[in-house]
Amino acid sequence: GAGNPCGNNNNDGDGIVFYDHMADRWVVSDFAFPSFPGTSFWQCIGVSKTSNPVSGGWWLYAIQVDPANPSYLGDYPKFGLWPDAYYLSMNEFSNNTTFNGVRVYALDRNSMINGGSAHAIGFSILPANLGNQYSLVPASFRTGNPPPAGQPEWFMDVNSSSVAGTVETQVFVRRFHVDFATPGNSTFGVGATHSPDGIITVNGFKDAFNASTGNLC
């Protein structure tokens, strides 16, 4: 509908397309907003009604990035496919230089493939609780045996110092347990600050940015 930027053709990029092989459907997404900085930021999502994305029609959704903070843009969105939900993460900005943290969502996959509500359940991690973290990547089930029933989704990200050339060794892991029937039972990470469930030490690596380029992708 025309009540949000997705319906008003205010689409602004960061397009994503993936195939849901469990339902034989396609999912497309980008974000939309009338202006930045501004007060209306949305993630637009289309789920194909059939296996034919060209002529089969689409179920359309518009998810507000952060209802509690309408001036936050959800940048660099990333999706994960899991049996119970489509999982989404975004980096939040209120202007070109102010990083406001990370926002994650679970969207009700089983409902959306049938045109029902997204039943969006979201959590935010504030910059003070992130340290050198951002750009959480949700896992995707692609092939083979599916995850066991009730297995939480996994989000992972790397430590990323703002100093170019820093040797990094840490990967952070958070679990997202979603309960669409009783949303209050949903959890992300550990405690109110959504701390990592675990930290993996890996061989040293360096981020692919330098002193003249950004590092918040």
Side-chain angles (χ1 to χ4, degrees), residues 179-202:
D179 187 335
F180 291 114
T182 308
N185 290 339
S186 300
T187 59
F188 179 64
V190 178
T193 61
H194 312 296
S195 299
D197 289 274
I199 302 174
I200 303 169
T201 300
V202 298

Side-chain angles (χ1 to χ4, degrees), residues 130-142:
L130 283 166
N132 291 326
Q133 298 177 62
Y134 49 87
S135 293
L136 277 62
V137 179
S140 278
F141 165 53
R142 295 299 187 193

Side-chain angles (χ1 to χ4, degrees), residues 4 41 54 77 87 96 131 141 151-152 181 191 211:
N4 60 72
F41 297 94
V54 176
Y87 288 89
N96 288 328
F141 165 53
Q151 173 65 59

Side-chain angles (χ1 to χ4, degrees), residues 77-107:
K78 294 169 174 57
F79 274 89
L81 168 64
W82 211 243
D84 61 352
Y86 298 129
Y87 288 89
L88 168 65
S89 75
M90 299 171 275
N91 295 326
E92 294 191 310
F93 294 88
S94 53
N95 55 54
N96 288 328
T97 58
T98 303
F99 174 56
N100 301 104
V102 170
R103 183 81 172 159
V104 298
Y105 277 105
L107 308 175

Side-chain angles (χ1 to χ4, degrees), residues 61-84:
Y61 299 87
I63 306 297
Q64 188 174 12
V65 167
D66 193 336
N69 297 284
S71 63
Y72 287 3
L73 162 71
D75 211 1
Y76 307 112
K78 294 169 174 57
F79 274 89
L81 168 64
W82 211 243
D84 61 352

Side-chain angles (χ1 to χ4, degrees), residues 90-207:
M90 299 171 275
N91 295 326
E92 294 191 310
F93 294 88
S94 53
N95 55 54
N96 288 328
T97 58
T98 303
F99 174 56
N100 301 104
V102 170
R103 183 81 172 159
V104 298
Y105 277 105
L107 308 175
D108 192 342
R109 171 185 168 273
N110 292 314
S111 175
M112 294 170 73
I113 60 177
N114 294 302
S117 172
H119 297 130
I121 295 175
F123 295 98
S124 295
I125 312 179
L126 300 178
N129 299 318
L130 283 166
N132 291 326
Q133 298 177 62
Y134 49 87
S135 293
L136 277 62
V137 179
S140 278
F141 165 53
R142 295 299 187 193
T143 187
N145 295 324
Q151 173 65 59
E153 167 68 309
W154 300 84
F155 282 72
M156 303 180 75
D157 64 291
V158 300
N159 196 71
S160 182
S161 168
S162 60
V163 179
T166 300
V167 177
E168 308 287 2
T169 61
Q170 292 181 310
V171 178
F172 302 94
V173 182
R174 290 175 175 84
R175 293 182 293 185
F176 197 145
H177 165 71
V178 67
D179 187 335
F180 291 114
T182 308
N185 290 339
S186 300
T187 59
F188 179 64
V190 178
T193 61
H194 312 296
S195 299
D197 289 274
I199 302 174
I200 303 169
T201 300
V202 298
N203 292 334
F205 64 93
K206 295 180 181 180
D207 279 345

